Amino acid sequence: MLLSGGIDSATCLFLMKATNSVRALTFEYHGIAQKELQSAREIGAAAVVAEHRFVRLPDLKEASDIPVVKFGGLPPTYIPLRNSIFYSLAASYAEEAGAGLIVGGHNRDDSKVFRDVSPEFFAALQRAFWAGSAVLRRKKTRIVRPLRNRSKVQVVRLAASLKVPLELTWSCHRDGREHCWRCDGCLSRQASFTKAGVRDPLAPPGGGKIT
Ligand SMILES: [Zn+2]
């Protein structure tokens, strides 16, 4: 299970924990908000994961931190081929732990933006892992994305129904004690909760509209 501090992975974790012994894997890439790491830690503890491993990747940067290269049309949070790296580390962990599933919390909206969230990408990755690991092939360890057909709004509704501790999640792209309610992550969170008809326990008075 790949866990960040976001709503998608928290929802995914609470969905899987009902029937599985879950281990969580969080990546500390360059510039990740410390508050997001703290959220991931607290969400993992709330879900009582069997183990929560943190992997430091200080040289892995988001597009906004690589100003000399143009990543046409992709958001500033894009990390070049992020999921080839994250899932390879998850597959290594799965082999070590004898896991039958590698679980990612991508939603339907993600696959519209990033090629490394596409069905073609994951099918190729699955083949590569089975070709490269006798253990994963023998155990038929699969990559699954239980939220892949749900929009962000549907994920928020599912999170509420699963009683995910939404107050522990972190959506802001900036670091700080509170959400800034100005960045893309905050605006997307606010819009998703509003459309889902779910109260955001983190929204400040006035629904987060700060001018
Ligand atoms: Zn923000």
Side-chain angles (χ1 to χ4, degrees):
M1 170 75 214
L2 281 66
L3 181 63
S4 71
I7 294 168
D8 294 328
S9 64
T11 304
C12 193
L13 176 58
F14 275 74
L15 194 62
M16 301 307 296
K17 88 180 183 91
T19 54
N20 289 277
S21 168
V22 178
R23 293 166 192 266
L25 185 58
T26 293
F27 300 106
E28 302 182 39
Y29 51 83
H30 176 85
I32 187 170
Q34 289 305 306
K35 189 74 180 170
E36 178 162 0
L37 289 177
Q38 182 188 332
S39 288
R41 201 172 284 117
E42 290 174 357
I43 292 163
V48 198
V49 294
E51 183 187 16
H52 193 167
R53 181 174 293 186
F54 288 76
V55 177
R56 296 187 66 235
L57 299 168
D59 293 319
L60 195 64
K61 295 179 177 177
E62 295 183 337
S64 58
D65 291 322
I66 316 173
V68 291
V69 182
K70 293 263 185 294
F71 297 95
L74 290 165
T77 53
Y78 174 68
I79 294 175
L81 272 173
R82 153 183 23 207
N83 285 328
S84 66
I85 299 160
F86 288 178
Y87 279 82
S88 292
L89 289 164
S92 173
Y93 188 20
E95 178 170 335
E96 175 190 326
L101 295 174
I102 299 167
V103 187
H106 312 286
N107 65 48
R108 189 177 68 199
D109 301 342
D110 295 332
S111 63
K112 292 176 185 164
V113 181
F114 303 109
R115 285 186 66 85
D116 66 348
V117 189
S118 66
E120 295 79 10
F121 173 78
F122 281 110
L125 211 51
Q126 177 79 74
R127 284 196 301 276
F129 291 159
W130 284 11
S133 164
V135 174
L136 297 183
R137 189 182 186 91
R138 189 171 62 246
K139 285 192 72 75
K140 295 187 167 34
T141 302
R142 289 184 301 121
I143 303 168
V144 295
R145 293 164 294 133
L147 307 180
R148 71 187 186 286
N149 293 323
R150 294 177 194 262
S151 68
K152 187 84 175 177
V153 175
Q154 290 170 321
V155 170
V156 169
R157 286 201 191 108
L158 177 63
S161 73
L162 292 170
K163 302 204 178 336
V164 172
L166 290 164
E167 71 281 5
L168 299 181
T169 60
W170 183 260
S171 305
C172 187
H173 296 326
R174 299 172 186 171
D175 213 351
R177 291 174 56 198
E178 310 287 341
H179 282 64
C180 75
W181 302 111
R182 295 171 194 271
C183 73
D184 287 351
C186 285
L187 296 176
S188 167
R189 178 186 181 110
Q190 188 182 17
S192 301
F193 273 84
T194 301
K195 284 185 193 155
V198 173
R199 191 186 72 81
D200 186 348
L202 296 183
K209 287 191 176 60
I210 298 171
T211 56

